[in-house]
Amino acid sequence: MKPLLLLPLLLLSAPAAFAQTQPNAETEAVQQTVRRFFDGMRRGDSTAVRATLAPGAVFHTLVTKNGQTQLRPENPSGFVKAVGTPHPQVWDERITFEKVLIDANLASVWTPYEFYLGSTFSHCGYNSFQLVKLADGWRIAHVIDTRRKEKCK
């Protein structure tokens, strides 16, 4: 008798469990903004990269020098300009989406990455993106990353 009583509960909870494992439209839109950022970087397309950034976007990187962690600001305009300046090798940052959190118009994205200059490995680490949903869609407001050459995947 008890197994029969549990059956309706299992059937009712199955759609909710399935829905939680499927990316929703907002998660896809957030991920697409991050993908467009890196696709633009790979193509050397500064206009495409700039289009993913919110006004006033901030970039930081964490570096360790002589055993000390340092927070370094990076200039988003300088980065966008560097992307569009011809360089001999493709800048190829390969990411995976590990975590995407969204509340209303704020999203946080955690992505491990490996960076290649052309086909040559350069460094790895993690990116943390903060995105905001503006009138024209999701835009990157803040990027902070770690960089290292060892202990990569």
Side-chain angles (χ1 to χ4, degrees):
M1 251 331 191
K2 287 184 183 180
L4 289 177
L5 292 175
L6 292 176
L7 185 60
L9 288 175
L10 290 172
L11 290 175
L12 288 174
S13 64
F18 179 75
Q20 290 173 358
T21 62
Q22 299 301 308
N24 65 34
E26 289 299 322
T27 299
E28 284 296 324
V30 165
Q31 289 177 336
Q32 189 57 35
T33 299
V34 174
R35 280 188 203 100
R36 285 194 332 265
F37 176 86
F38 289 117
D39 289 346
M41 188 175 78
R42 266 187 289 284
R43 291 190 316 268
D45 184 345
S46 59
T47 301
V49 171
R50 188 179 299 108
T52 67
L53 301 178
V58 176
F59 289 9
H60 283 102
T61 192
L62 290 172
V63 294
T64 302
K65 209 172 202 176
N66 301 323
Q68 298 291 322
T69 300
Q70 299 173 358
L71 177 65
R72 288 195 182 154
E74 304 230 342
N75 182 339
S77 295
F79 174 78
V80 169
K81 183 178 178 181
V83 163
T85 301
H87 38 275
Q89 298 165 317
V90 172
W91 295 355
D92 184 11
E93 188 154 334
R94 302 172 189 179
I95 66 166
T96 56
F97 290 97
E98 196 166 283
K99 193 86 165 165
V100 177
L101 302 171
I102 301 172
D103 181 55
N105 295 327
L106 174 67
S108 181
V109 179
W110 185 256
T111 66
Y113 75 88
E114 293 179 339
F115 186 85
Y116 291 80
L117 289 171
S119 60
T120 304
F121 174 78
S122 173
H123 60 276
C124 68
Y126 277 80
N127 296 311
S128 175
F129 291 91
Q130 304 304 305
L131 291 89
V132 293
K133 189 173 185 183
L134 303 175
D136 57 351
W138 288 100
R139 298 292 175 260
I140 299 166
H142 184 227
V143 182
I144 186 168
D145 64 61
T146 60
R147 296 181 190 175
R148 62 182 173 275
K149 292 188 181 284
E150 65 281 332
K151 295 184 181 175
C152 299
K153 287 185 180 180

